[in-house]
Amino acid sequence: EIVIASDDNTIRRPDKSSDTYSFGSITLQALSGHIPYHHLRSDVCVILHLSKGIKPPRRSASDKRRNLGVDPELLG
């Protein structure tokens, strides 16, 4: 888990909200088949994105259906 210093230079310790974020990331990975930030080439890039508040790109509905093994033509 990443611990980031806040604007007032205090260390933000893991709490319920960070646990929720971690759980969401794991759930996203399990359902999509991709790790969050899979488009970035290194862990350093991921940490930089996280520290700047940049979220992973959202995928299109057809990509989501394809990952679930559903033919997009059937669902429109």
Side-chain angles (χ1 to χ4, degrees):
E1 188 162 338
I2 298 173
V3 178
I4 300 173
S6 63
D7 292 338
D8 61 357
N9 290 328
T10 59
I11 300 295
R12 182 172 176 239
R13 300 284 177 206
D15 60 8
K16 191 174 184 178
S17 66
S18 62
D19 290 344
T20 302
Y21 182 86
S22 297
F23 178 77
S25 294
I26 292 168
T27 303
L28 174 66
Q29 181 178 347
L31 294 176
S32 71
H34 293 284
I35 60 172
Y37 300 98
H38 66 278
H39 62 288
L40 299 177
R41 296 179 183 242
S42 71
D43 293 342
V44 172
C45 290
V46 173
I47 292 169
L48 289 172
H49 273 71
L50 287 170
S51 68
K52 293 178 181 178
I54 301 171
K55 298 188 179 187
R58 296 192 68 141
R59 299 175 52 158
S60 71
S62 62
D63 285 344
K64 291 175 188 174
R65 286 187 219 120
R66 194 173 307 121
N67 276 345
L68 295 174
V70 177
D71 183 357
E73 297 296 320
L74 294 174
L75 300 176

